[in-house]
């Protein structure tokens, strides 16, 4: 908590330098053990050399709370839980997209710090980014289907893990997402297919 309070206080014109000093004071030099190892130096490096991560760290100080050895995995789990909850019980689109953007913040910060700390191999880094993109796509499809149902364009059955949020639609990832190789700046490419019979059974119009 003290670390987070010091970060919150380092937002004047010299906030980046102040945050580097705060991280150094909180974690000390790189070490192989301890509750924050090896994240301290990685966070300091991110603040110093990666403008996107520096802005993210400043904007989402809450993500730096409770840093311990399992911190990156915990952030990933929380983000996936948010996406899964949206998929199972879609909120209004604006609310859900806001929640997904905040979950993406957590995934990006946790993955980047684990990457910079050399705690995760490359396949784990790209896999974490791809897995969340997949979960977010499921959530986005669920919200879109729910919105269509509210307009009377489709009738949705209860959520079923085997059929997903919108039976009749299949999204197939292409390119880096399909290969499980998304990086931090990747967009996602996918193709959408639909089953006319399943859509008809749901009283839906063909896209």
């Amino acid at each position: 908590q003290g670390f987070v309070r010091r970060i919150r206080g380092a937002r004047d014109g010299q906030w980046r330098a102040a945050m580097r000093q705060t991280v150094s004071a909180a974690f000390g030099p790189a070490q192989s053990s301890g509750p924050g190892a090896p994240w301290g130096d990685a966070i300091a490096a991110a603040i110093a050399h990666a403008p996107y991560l520096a802005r993210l760290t400043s904007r989402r100080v809450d993500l730096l709370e409770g840093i311990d050895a399992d911190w990156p995995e915990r952030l990933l789990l929380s983000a996936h839980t948010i996406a899964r909850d949206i998929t199972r019980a879609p909120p209004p689109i604006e609310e859900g997209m806001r929640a997904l953007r905040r979950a993406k913040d957590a995934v990006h910060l946790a993955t980047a710090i684990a990457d910079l700390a050399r705690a995760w191999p490359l396949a784990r880094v790209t896999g974490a980014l791809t897995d969340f993109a997949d979960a977010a796509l499921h959530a986005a499809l669920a919200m879109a289907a729910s919105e269509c149902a509210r307009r009377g364009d489709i009738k949705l059955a209860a959520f079923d893990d085997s059929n997903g949020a919108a039976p009749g639609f299949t999204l197939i990832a292409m390119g880096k997402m399909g290969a499980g190789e998304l990086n931090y700046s990747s967009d996602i490419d996918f193709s959408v297919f639909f089953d006319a019979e399943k859509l008809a059974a749901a009283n839906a119009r063909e896209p």
Side-chain angles (χ1 to χ4, degrees), residues 2-73:
F3 168 59
V4 172
R5 283 196 299 272
R6 289 193 296 273
I7 288 287
R8 289 188 188 280
R11 290 187 173 179
D12 55 18
Q14 302 298 319
W15 70 270
R16 187 173 297 186
M19 288 175 74
R20 286 200 301 269
Q21 294 173 3
T22 296
V23 170
S24 178
F27 293 99
Q31 50 188 331
S32 59
S33 62
W39 319 127
D41 278 6
I43 294 172
I47 292 169
H49 303 295
Y52 167 67
L53 294 175
R55 291 192 301 270
L56 177 54
T57 303
S58 177
R59 179 167 52 85
R60 294 295 311 277
V61 177
D62 59 294
L63 296 177
L64 299 175
E65 295 177 352
I67 292 181
D68 57 20
D70 299 322
W71 170 71
E73 296 288 356

Side-chain angles (χ1 to χ4, degrees), residues 83 86-87 100 131-144 159 164-165 171:
I86 291 172
T87 301
L100 284 176
D131 287 347
F132 181 73
D134 183 68
L137 198 55
H138 276 81
L141 178 59
M143 287 189 289
F159 181 86
L171 277 59

